[in-house]
């Protein structure tokens, strides 16, 4: 490599790994166990060492076509096959297909005369034959204590342990070796953890009468890995490890909108609903209709032909269906059509991890578009706040990755009402937070609803009163009184006062109209009188004018007559005709 080559161009090879196929474990180990190297699986009794090792073999055969060898020093092959049959692992069938080789080695040191030359050469020959006979890629040795328990000579014991691990490496098989927990060290001998390339510690603890299994990767040579303690479960489907911090916030998001099932509530959001794949939280004190709001959402999802998975921690499915029927929602119809599945159980039935795995499993089976959990606050009864917050964080992230709309309800205590914080501390994780509360009036109790936050869209800042009717939840219009928003009987009083005020205003308008009409009639009468008076004066003036014209005509006629009776000097003819004196 030239000296002037930039360091960014150097690509170092990564450590080859063999995926385990165990849910969650490959994510924590960043791909699986070291390929062709031994891994030590240690823990106390009852923590599931043997089951995890066998599942490693079975998943390798089923998922990766890698044959395996199981060599056990305690239980016989038949006993092991019977023990794991409940997990759905058919070991005899895999043996018949030459994909798995079971070999039970009985070690009884009382029957062996110890010499200074005792070694594991016979074991190597037997194990090598089993590996070569089926071309095995994976090997499990269960457990190493049974193999070395009879060694009184610590020098020989340590030498043989090193030989065993070196032989397995040279053979190139990916190996899990189970070991019991020691006092002051991870294993009984205190050496296995040092010669192993990967060490996984299993723990089975009881806290507050609740059993929890935890897994921790103590070391992993040549690879990064999760360093926290991770809860794991043993269920009918095998072992599930639940990573806490490995999920990344890089999931896809949707612009599609889903309805809350209440049209008036949808109108309080700028886009008239929630984003598909988002998380919604309803918080409130007891009796504020949180379950009814959650059921309205589930009912609407099913009405649109989508599948909804409903987890009820306080009511049985029959009780929930009956109660919701009284408010106009027939959830039983959607159950019959296969669109709604109600899972009801007390949270104390199992631990938090069991609930989380159950949710994961049911989601995988039912494939819902929405999940409702009512209420999440009951989970506090099976764990402390930190554990519940961790569990809900993982659940919210898991649902977002799956694109499933999540709808949670949570009971808040009286001391948190003012703070508007949930005891689980998940209010900051959800995308939409709706608060329902009591609006106490004079001698009555009403319900109010407000939107505290909604990521990605604007929303109403009003506190809306709502009522639960036989047709569902109905949000009432906001009524503003002299001292602010009024509710309940005050709303009715305010409405009566507004009606009385409106009636008084109407009556005043009618009185003014009548007064105006009266004035109009008076004015019209005055105008009529003036017109009559004007016509009289006009008639009088016309009469006087006519009389004056008549007088003038008479005067003119009289003058003409006088003029004709006396001849004028300018008219001699008139003089000649005059009679003689």
């Amino acid at each position: 490599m030239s000296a002037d080559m930039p360091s960014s161009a150097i690509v170092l090879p990564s450590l080859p790994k063999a995926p385990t196929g165990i849910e969650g474990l490959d994510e924590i180990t960043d791909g699986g166990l070291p390929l062709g190297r031994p891994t030590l699986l240690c823990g106390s009794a009852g923590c599931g060492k043997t089951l995890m090792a066998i599942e490693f073999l079975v998943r390798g055969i089923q998922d990766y076509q890698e044959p395996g060898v199981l060599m056990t020093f305690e239980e016989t092959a038949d006993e092991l096959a019977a023990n794991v049959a409940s997990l759905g692992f058919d070991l005899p069938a895999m043996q018949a297909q030459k994909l798995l080789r079971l070999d039970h080695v009985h070690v009884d040191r009382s029957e062996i005369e110890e010499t200074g030359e005792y070694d594991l050469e016979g074991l190597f020959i037997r194990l090598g034959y089993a590996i070569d006979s089926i071309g095995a890629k994976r090997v499990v040795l269960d457990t190493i204590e049974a193999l070395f328990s009879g060694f009184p000579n610590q020098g020989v014991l340590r030498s043989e342990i090193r030989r065993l691990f070196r032989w397995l490496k040279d053979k190139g098989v990916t190996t899990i070796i189970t070991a019991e927990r020691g006092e002051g060290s991870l294993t009984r001998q205190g050496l296995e953890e040092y010669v192993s390339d990967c060490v996984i510690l299993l723990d089975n603890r009881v806290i507050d009468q609740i059993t929890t299994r935890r897994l921790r990767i103590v070391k992993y040579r040549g690879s990064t890995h999760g360093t926290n303690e991770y809860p794991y479960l043993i269920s009918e489907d095998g072992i599930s490890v639940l990573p806490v911090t490995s999920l990344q916030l890089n999931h896809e998001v949707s612009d599609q909108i889903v309805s809350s099932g209440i049209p008036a509530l949808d109108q309080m959001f700028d886009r008239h609903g929630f984003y598909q794949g988002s998380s919604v939280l309803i918080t409130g004190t007891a009796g504020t209709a949180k379950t009814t709001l959650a059921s309205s959402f589930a009912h609407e999802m099913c009405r649109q032909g989508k599948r909804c998975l409903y987890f009820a921690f306080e009511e049985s499915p029959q009780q929930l269906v009956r109660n919701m029927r009284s408010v106009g929602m027939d959830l039983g119809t959607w159950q019959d059509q296969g669109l709604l599945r109600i899972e009801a159980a007390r949270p104390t039935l199992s631990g938090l991890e069991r609930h989380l795995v159950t949710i994961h499993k049911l989601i995988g089976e039912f494939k819902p578009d929405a999940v409702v959990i009512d209420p999440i606050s009951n989970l506090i009864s099976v764990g402390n706040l930190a554990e519940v917050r961790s569990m809900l964080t993982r659940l919210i992230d898991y649902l977002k990755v799956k694109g499933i709309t999540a709808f949670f309800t949570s009971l808040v205590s009286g001391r948190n009402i003012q703070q508007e914080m949930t005891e689980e501390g998940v209010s900051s994780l959800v995308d939409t937070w709706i608060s329902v509360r009591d609006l106490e009036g004079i001698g009555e109790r009403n319900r109010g609803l407000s939107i505290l936050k909604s990521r990605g869209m604007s929303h109403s800042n009003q506190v809306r009163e709502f009522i639960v009717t036989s047709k569902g939840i109905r949000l009432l219009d906001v009524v503003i009184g002299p001292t602010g928003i009024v509710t309940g009987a005050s709303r009715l009083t305010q409405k009566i006062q507004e009606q009385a005020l409106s009636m008084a205003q109407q009556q005043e308008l009618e009185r003014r109209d009548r007064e105006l009409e009266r004035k109009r009639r008076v004015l019209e009468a005055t105008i009529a009188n003036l017109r009559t008076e004007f016509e009289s004066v006009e008639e009088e003036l016309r009469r006087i004018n006519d009389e004056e014209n008549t007088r003038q005509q008479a005067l003119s006629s009289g003058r003409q007559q006088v003029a004709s009776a006396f001849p004028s000097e300018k008219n001699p003819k008139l003089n000649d005709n005059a009679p003689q004196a």
Side-chain angles (χ1 to χ4, degrees), residues 202-453:
L202 304 182
D203 186 24
N204 188 19
R205 66 188 69 168
V206 179
I207 302 176
D208 295 333
Q209 301 179 1
I210 298 174
T211 302
T212 303
R213 290 183 172 95
R214 303 278 177 175
L215 176 149
R216 180 167 65 93
I217 300 177
V218 179
K219 79 171 186 178
Y220 198 139
R221 289 174 180 166
S223 173
T224 58
H225 57 85
T227 57
N228 296 331
E229 278 195 331
Y230 302 94
Y232 67 96
L233 292 176
I234 300 175
S235 65
E236 60 273 13
D237 295 325
I239 293 178
S240 299
V241 183
L242 308 176
V244 178
T245 58
S246 57
L247 287 175
Q248 311 238 343
L249 295 177
N250 56 1
H251 54 270
E252 297 292 333
V253 296
S254 173
D255 289 330
Q256 299 296 321
I257 298 297
V258 295
S259 172
S260 66
I262 305 172
L265 177 57
D266 292 341
Q267 294 299 322
M268 296 180 68
F269 295 92
D270 181 58
R271 298 200 58 186
H272 309 299
F274 315 128
Y275 283 117
Q276 180 179 327
S278 64
S279 53
V280 182
L281 175 65
I282 301 284
T283 60
T285 53
T288 49
K290 299 183 296 296
T291 299
T292 306
L293 287 166
S295 298
S296 298
F297 171 74
H299 178 74
E300 178 64 20
M301 292 296 294
C302 296
R303 192 185 66 83
Q304 296 178 7
K306 299 180 179 179
R307 302 164 73 89
C308 181
L309 183 58
Y310 196 115
F311 292 94
F313 290 148
E314 293 182 336
E315 299 176 272
S316 67
Q318 296 81 3
Q319 183 180 0
L320 181 64
V321 171
R322 182 203 64 187
N323 294 346
M324 291 305 106
R325 192 179 294 118
S326 66
V327 292
M329 290 180 286
D330 189 2
L331 300 181
T333 300
W334 307 126
Q335 283 184 299
D336 297 339
Q337 295 181 11
L339 294 175
L340 177 65
R341 181 169 179 177
I342 302 176
E343 293 291 330
R346 289 292 183 188
T348 52
L349 178 65
S350 57
L352 293 174
E353 287 75 22
R354 173 71 64 178
H355 283 295
L356 186 57
V357 168
T358 300
I359 293 173
H360 282 214
K361 177 183 176 182
L362 292 176
I363 288 175
E365 294 176 357
F366 192 62
K367 295 180 173 51
D369 299 287
V371 169
V372 177
I373 300 182
D374 176 37
I376 60 174
S377 48
N378 278 23
L379 295 172
I380 296 178
S381 61
V382 292
N384 58 44
L385 293 180
E387 292 173 339
V388 173
R389 188 179 300 114
S390 173
M391 179 261 194
L392 292 175
T393 300
R394 285 175 279 158
L395 177 59
I396 290 173
D397 288 341
Y398 175 76
L399 294 176
K400 285 189 175 182
V401 170
K402 293 291 185 179
I404 298 173
T405 307
F407 198 101
F408 307 120
T409 69
S410 177
L411 177 69
V412 295
S413 59
R415 66 179 181 273
N416 283 334
I417 295 178
Q418 298 298 328
Q419 301 173 355
E420 292 182 333
M421 292 293 291
T422 59
E423 292 186 353
E424 309 82 23
V426 298
S427 54
S428 61
L429 299 176
V430 297
D431 301 303
T432 301
W433 184 8
I434 300 174
S435 173
V436 288
R437 65 188 70 177
D438 291 327
L439 303 176
E440 295 186 1
I442 302 175
E444 64 179 10
R445 175 176 171 270
N446 304 296
R447 299 182 179 98
L449 179 149
S450 60
I451 302 173
L452 300 184
K453 78 170 184 178

Side-chain angles (χ1 to χ4, degrees), residues 60-269:
I61 294 171
Q62 294 178 345
D63 301 339
Y64 307 104
Q65 293 74 48
E66 294 185 358
V69 171
L70 172 59
M71 182 168 285
T72 174
F73 305 105
E74 290 183 339
E75 298 177 278
T76 65
D78 293 338
E79 291 173 342
L80 281 176
N83 292 341
V84 299
S86 61
L87 303 180
F89 300 156
D90 191 352
L91 300 188
M94 297 178 186
Q95 282 184 286
Q97 298 172 8
K98 297 189 181 302
L99 297 174
L100 177 67
R101 183 72 180 264
L102 291 179
D103 194 358
H104 172 64
V105 178
H106 177 68
V107 179
D108 189 351
R109 295 301 298 145
S110 64
E111 299 177 0
I112 301 176
E113 182 180 359
E114 180 184 357
T115 65
E117 298 178 353
Y118 177 80
D119 57 29
L120 298 178
E121 195 64 36
L123 176 68
F124 295 157
I125 295 174
R126 189 167 177 173
L127 182 58
Y129 173 76
I131 294 173
D132 296 337
S133 63
I134 61 173
K137 301 295 183 181
R138 303 186 178 204
V139 172
V140 168
L141 301 181
D142 182 47
T143 66
I144 197 172
E145 278 75 25
L147 184 62
F148 294 113
S149 60
F151 277 82
N153 189 325
Q154 293 294 319
V156 174
L157 184 147
R158 290 177 175 269
S159 175
E160 291 304 299
I161 289 178
R162 290 191 181 94
R163 279 190 63 201
L164 174 63
F165 278 76
R166 173 52 57 189
W167 185 88
L168 292 170
K169 280 187 179 182
D170 295 340
K171 198 66 176 176
V173 290
T174 306
T175 308
I176 287 183
I177 301 173
T178 65
E180 295 180 3
R181 188 76 181 268
E183 295 181 4
S185 60
L186 294 180
T187 59
R188 294 282 182 88
Q189 311 303 332
L191 178 65
E192 299 92 322
E193 57 263 36
Y194 295 102
V195 296
S196 300
D197 289 84
C198 178
V199 178
I200 300 177
L201 177 63
L202 304 182
D203 186 24
N204 188 19
R205 66 188 69 168
V206 179
I207 302 176
D208 295 333
Q209 301 179 1
I210 298 174
T211 302
T212 303
R213 290 183 172 95
R214 303 278 177 175
L215 176 149
R216 180 167 65 93
I217 300 177
V218 179
K219 79 171 186 178
Y220 198 139
R221 289 174 180 166
S223 173
T224 58
H225 57 85
T227 57
N228 296 331
E229 278 195 331
Y230 302 94
Y232 67 96
L233 292 176
I234 300 175
S235 65
E236 60 273 13
D237 295 325
I239 293 178
S240 299
V241 183
L242 308 176
V244 178
T245 58
S246 57
L247 287 175
Q248 311 238 343
L249 295 177
N250 56 1
H251 54 270
E252 297 292 333
V253 296
S254 173
D255 289 330
Q256 299 296 321
I257 298 297
V258 295
S259 172
S260 66
I262 305 172
L265 177 57
D266 292 341
Q267 294 299 322
M268 296 180 68
F269 295 92

Side-chain angles (χ1 to χ4, degrees), residues 451-559:
I451 302 173
L452 300 184
K453 78 170 184 178
S454 181
R455 290 173 177 162
M457 69 174 72
S458 59
H459 54 86
S460 172
N461 62 350
Q462 292 180 330
V463 178
R464 297 285 298 275
E465 182 184 3
F466 69 93
I467 57 176
V468 181
T469 70
S470 59
K471 295 183 179 179
I473 290 179
R474 182 167 69 90
L475 270 65
L476 305 179
D477 295 332
V478 176
V479 176
I480 306 297
T483 59
I485 297 177
V486 294
T487 61
S490 300
R491 171 192 292 271
L492 181 60
T493 303
Q494 179 72 16
K495 186 176 181 180
I496 293 174
Q497 291 176 351
E498 290 178 353
Q499 290 177 348
L501 179 61
S502 177
M503 185 178 297
Q505 292 175 346
Q506 183 66 26
Q507 291 175 351
E508 178 64 18
L509 289 175
E510 292 176 355
R511 187 191 65 79
R512 290 181 180 180
D513 289 342
R514 291 194 301 270
E515 181 68 18
L516 182 62
E517 179 65 20
R518 186 186 64 79
K519 288 183 178 181
R520 186 183 63 79
R521 290 197 300 268
V522 171
L523 182 59
E524 289 180 350
T526 302
I527 293 174
N529 291 335
L530 291 175
R531 184 177 290 112
T532 302
E533 183 179 352
F534 175 78
E535 290 175 353
S536 299
V537 172
E538 184 182 31
E539 184 179 357
E540 180 65 19
L541 291 176
R542 188 180 298 111
R543 184 184 61 78
I544 294 173
N545 189 38
D546 291 343
E547 290 178 353
E548 181 65 21
N549 289 337
T550 302
R551 190 181 68 81
Q552 290 293 336
Q553 290 178 359
L555 182 59
S556 176
S557 176
R559 287 178 178 174

